[in-house]
């Protein structure tokens, strides 16, 4: 959808606050649109939408009747920008998109906005594959979801494999199989790769899985029960036992639901609980009559915002990049529920209803979601209070002027230099900020194997080179390096080469290393007791020092260091797994799945293909003399 755009910008005028806004009102049309309020630094303070821009914006020019928050926002406004749209519905969609992009200070903002995983039955192959999918739906097949978490998808996939025996391997692995894999041995795959099941029978399993995921679980179980009875009558007890195991797997999925959907086939449930100026929104997903999990959100908003207004803004942003279901159940009716329904129906190209149920099973679902929201907010507030106390203690230990608002922790992971990955995690007053974690694939080819100093230099250089280009990017208050004096020196040298001055920008950098002590013979060794309970802190301008084993500041340092280590190892393992799974034939132009399978069946492995001469390669069906030479050259050039 592309709104008709009319833009008005005024940044040179000396007017400010209510006077500036009043000046703009004289030129604004009485049309729908979106407005932005901007401060002296160019930061967007607020994004709003209006049925009539002239009427809405003129309300800010009035002297009274505003909350303290709105008064502060008006006083900070030094410029405004406007976009005129054809309808108020378009304005609502544009507003949600701009809020997600710009994250204005005075708006309600949906945080931790990640895409949800789906189950995909990929149908772009003769033997459809079942797998977890996240992101754009570009691949041909049937998508089922969303699921609240990757764990929920993995548990469901694990059980679906037992129930329907569908393959989960990639197409390249499938084409290269010459005998059944372990999944077939443990009765989780029908092994279509080696023709242990006919194509017709395998497609029948695929259709059963799709029927089950579409919500017709009773129909599938009834069919399997009838087949089991027939097999038992025919004294085919092995088949009857296999069908029994499949029925048990399906029963497990249905019995593992945390909440009974109560006849709800397709709906998202939103419940909000606010307390102490903070809020939690719990979202439950129901698809195909099954509960597919829930997720807790903690939107950023002003303490004065009402739950209805928070939920209104939250839902608009939540569905900015997601397809809404036909029914949305809410604990509080959004002030713009009618407009939201129009906008979501327009986006989904079908009717979408938003309702606050007053009785029955649907009300019970909303009530249960509300209870979860309250419990989640209570835990969050307790954790936040503990985290803030720990950060205050850490600030005292490091002699910081104030508790750090943004902490970045860096670590590397590799095996003798192979598949090297750098990692950065982010923490703040509310704990870890996982949507700002970053990984860095080490690119410097001249590094010696296992050169941790060189890897850290590259990571810091890349991170701060980008940071220095973006004036609006958040700067860390505290940087923690997993290492001692050597690692700290490398980081400081890298920043000096970039022309960055951490001290001038108020950035404190420390290294955290394992504790050491003097032995009786004068040598040094790692004290295993101290290494488990204490850390040596290295800072520029101070002698290295240790913290007592039970110091709260030590605990928060260890926790952040361990989280960075976990993230770095996870990134390294993912890179190593990808490298192991790669087939050398994938890089040869002109080699598709069919020819690859023919070559592997003929030679047995990619290693033998690499050793083969062009004449031997040409003996494989579908490999011409030119292609044989191309394959030979690929493995022998250079």
């Amino acid at each position: 959808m592309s709104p008709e755009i009319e833009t008005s910008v005024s940044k040179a005028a000396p007017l400010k606050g209510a006077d500036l806004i009043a000046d703009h009102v004289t030129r604004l049309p009485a049309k729908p649109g979106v407005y932005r309020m901007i401060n002296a630094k160019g930061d967007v303070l607020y994004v709003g939408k209006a049925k009539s821009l002239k009427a809405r914006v003129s309300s800010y020019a009035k002297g009274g009747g505003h909350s303290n928050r709105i008064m502060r926002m008006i006083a900070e406004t030094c410029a405004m920008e406007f976009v005129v749209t054809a309808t108020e519905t378009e304005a609502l969609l544009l507003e949600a998109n701009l809020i997600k992009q710009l994250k204005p200070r005075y708006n309600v903002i949906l945080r931790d906005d990640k895409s949800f995983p789906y189950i995909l039955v990929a149908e772009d192959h003769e033997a459809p594959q079942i797998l977890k999918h996240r992101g754009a739906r570009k691949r041909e097949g049937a998508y089922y979801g969303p699921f609240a978490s990757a764990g929920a998808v993995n548990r469901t996939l694990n059980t679906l494999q037992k129930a329907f025996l569908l393959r989960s391997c990639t197409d390249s692995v499938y084409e290269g199989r010459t005998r059944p894999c372990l999944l077939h041995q443990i009765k989780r795959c029908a092994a279509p790769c080696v023709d242990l099941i006919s194509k017709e029978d395998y497609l029948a399993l695929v259709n059963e899985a799709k029927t089950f995921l579409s919500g017709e679980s009773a129909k599938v179980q009834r069919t399997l029960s009838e087949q089991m009875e027939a097999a038992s009558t025919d004294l085919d007890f092995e088949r009857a036992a296999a069908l029994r195991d499949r029925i048990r797997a399906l029963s497990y999925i249905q019995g593992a639901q945390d909440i009974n959907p109560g006849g709800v086939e397709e709906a998202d449930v939103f419940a909000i609980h606010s307390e102490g100026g903070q809020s939690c929104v719990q979202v439950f997903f129901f698809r195909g009559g099954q509960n597919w999990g829930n997720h807790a959100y903690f939107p950023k908003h002003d303490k004065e915002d009402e739950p209805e207004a928070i939920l209104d803004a939250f839902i608009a942003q939540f569905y900015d990049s997601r397809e809404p279901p036909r029914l949305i159940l809410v604990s509080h009716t959004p002030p713009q529920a009618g407009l939201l329904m129009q906008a979501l129906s327009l986006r989904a190209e079908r009717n979408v209803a938003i309702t606050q149920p007053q009785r029955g099973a649907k009300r019970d679902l909303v009530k249960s979601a509300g209870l979860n929201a309250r419990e989640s907010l209570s835990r969050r507030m307790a954790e936040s209070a503990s985290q803030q106390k720990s950060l205050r203690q850490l600030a005292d230990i490091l002699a910081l002027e104030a508790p750090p608002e943004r902490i970045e922790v860096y670590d590397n992971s590799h095996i003798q230099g192979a598949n090297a990955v750098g990692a950065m995690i982010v923490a703040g007053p509310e704990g870890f900020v996982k949507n700002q974690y970053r990984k860095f694939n080490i690119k410097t080819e001249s590094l010696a194997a296992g050169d941790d100093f060189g890897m850290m230099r590259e990571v810091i250089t890349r991170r701060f080179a980008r940071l220095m280009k973006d004036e609006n990017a958040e700067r860390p208050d505290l940087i923690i390096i997993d290492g001692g004096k050597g690692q700290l020196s490398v980081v400081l040298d890298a920043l000096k080469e970039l022309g960055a001055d951490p001290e001038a920008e108020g950035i404190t950098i420390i290294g955290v290393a394992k504790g050491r002590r003097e032995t009786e013979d004068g040598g040094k060794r790692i004290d295993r007791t101290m290494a488990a309970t204490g850390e040596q802190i290295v800072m520029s301008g101070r002698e290295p020092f240790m913290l007592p084993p039970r110091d709260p500041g030590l605990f928060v340092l260890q926790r952040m260091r361990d989280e960075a280590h976990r993230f770095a190892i996870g990134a390294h393992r993912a890179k190593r797994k990808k490298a192991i799974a790669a087939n050398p034939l994938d890089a040869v132009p002109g080699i598709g799945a069919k020819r690859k399978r023919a070559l592997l069946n003929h030679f047995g492995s990619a290693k033998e293909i690499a050793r083969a001469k062009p004449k031997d390669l040409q003996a494989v069906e579908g490999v011409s003399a030119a292609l044989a030479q191309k394959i030979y050259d690929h493995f022998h050039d250079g």
Side-chain angles (χ1 to χ4, degrees), residues 211-212 215-225 250 254:
T211 300
F212 179 83
E216 300 182 51
S217 54
K219 179 181 177 181
V220 175
Q221 284 194 299
R222 186 166 56 250
T223 300
L224 292 179
S225 295
L250 293 181
Q254 293 172 303

Side-chain angles (χ1 to χ4, degrees), residues 334-370:
Q336 303 181 105
L339 187 61
L340 270 175
M341 284 191 282
Q342 291 179 27
L344 297 180
S345 298
L346 185 66
R347 179 181 292 279
E349 299 181 347
R350 54 177 166 75
N351 289 333
V352 175
I354 299 176
T355 181
Q356 181 182 353
Q358 301 299 320
R359 62 182 66 85
K362 292 177 182 177
R363 181 180 179 277
D364 292 339
L365 291 180
V366 174
K367 189 176 180 181
S368 178

Side-chain angles (χ1 to χ4, degrees), residues 431-449:
F432 295 117
V433 189
K434 295 193 175 184
N435 63 348
Q436 299 204 21
Y437 285 15
R438 296 292 181 268
K439 64 179 180 180
F440 302 82
N441 289 317
I442 302 301
K443 299 177 180 179
T444 307
E445 297 180 358
S446 60
L447 291 180

